[in-house]
Amino acid sequence: MTLPNRFDWEKLQQFCYHVFSNAGVSKENAETVAESLIQADLRGVDSHGVVRTAIYIERIEKNMMDPFADPKVESEDFATVLVNGNNNIGAVVGKKAVEIALEKAKERGAAIVGVKGSNHFGTGAYYALKAIEKDMILLVMSNASQTMPPTGGKRPFIGTNPLAIGVPAGNEAPFLLDMATSVVARGKIIVASQKGEEIPLGWAVDKDGIPTTNAEAALDGAVLPVGGPKGYAISMLIDILAGVLTGAGFGKYVNNMYENWEEPQNVGHIFIAIDINRFIPIELFKERMDRYISEIKAEPKADGIDEILIPGELEFRKTLERKQNGIELPAKVVKELDEIGKRYSVDLSKAVFSVKDGKQYKEVIN
């Protein structure tokens, strides 16, 4: 039986939870991984959503990630902490680190938490939202395996090292930047490849350094830095902070989770948390943020533009839309999930979206 490709977000999250739980991940950690994946899909960042389930499960099955290990604080000072993820799942390590960062920032006013020994940790927005919920500012950085050449080069050397920043607001949507330092996240090229679609010119080059619109050729080649030399410089800085500084891998020493089946990834992250109340009362800050955002959105619009948006606003709207109307997945991803579900005795068909589910959610949000 061919399954539909639209799924209820809560039921799909439960499906992922049960898959990881049945694969040996603790219940608490399985909840974290499932939440991280579904939140990415809800926000429209499909490249970091349930499409990653298969590779996470495969690395667990082949003992390339250790879901039984506990991330440990390796060193701690007044406002700094170094966490060793001990090769647990990236989302689990990242959640532990951000909790430490927010707690310490509340005590000290600001905190920097570095992480080594981690894995792919999903979207930076997942962690930035946790800070926004606590009325705090958070900067999130992570390095990644080689997918991008240095400016002037043609061979991948650095990752599409992401940067995310979350800032709370009052009545306006919060500021939530979540970006790769490449023109596009490599995961979007993976999704295009799965769908058999071409990619825009300017996203990537093939293995010979020639610009390409072929997703498969791009995956064999390299994605390009956003803003040319500026994106390259920012990506290099993130690699220095998340990799060189923490003792994690950096450059060619961050292992590719799709290709290296001999060694852990050893990804590094950096979380910088700021307690707003140490600078200005939070309610006053939110009022000032609302004014700032509303004045930006009231600026004269260029021809053909209906609305000026702030970073993260489209994703917040996409979240509401997908909660109401379901998450649509590529046929290849549905097939992968169905096969994984059968291996771990979890029925994907129970997560299929129905119109009734959408109506129920619509009544709640209204």
Side-chain angles (χ1 to χ4, degrees), residues 154-156 204-212 216-222:
K154 68 176 185 179
R155 188 173 69 179
V205 293
D206 65 17
K207 62 182 179 181
D208 297 314
I210 299 171
T212 182
E216 293 291 336
L219 292 175
D220 288 335

Side-chain angles (χ1 to χ4, degrees), residues 128-129 131-133 135-139 164-170 172-177 276 282 285-286 289 293 310-311 316:
L129 280 168
I132 289 170
E133 291 169 0
D135 286 335
M136 302 182 81
I137 293 172
L138 184 72
L139 286 74
I165 304 171
V167 183
E172 299 285 350
F175 174 95
L176 182 48
L177 171 70
I276 294 166
I282 184 63
F285 177 83
K286 287 183 175 181
M289 278 295 294
I293 293 168
I310 66 166
F316 280 107

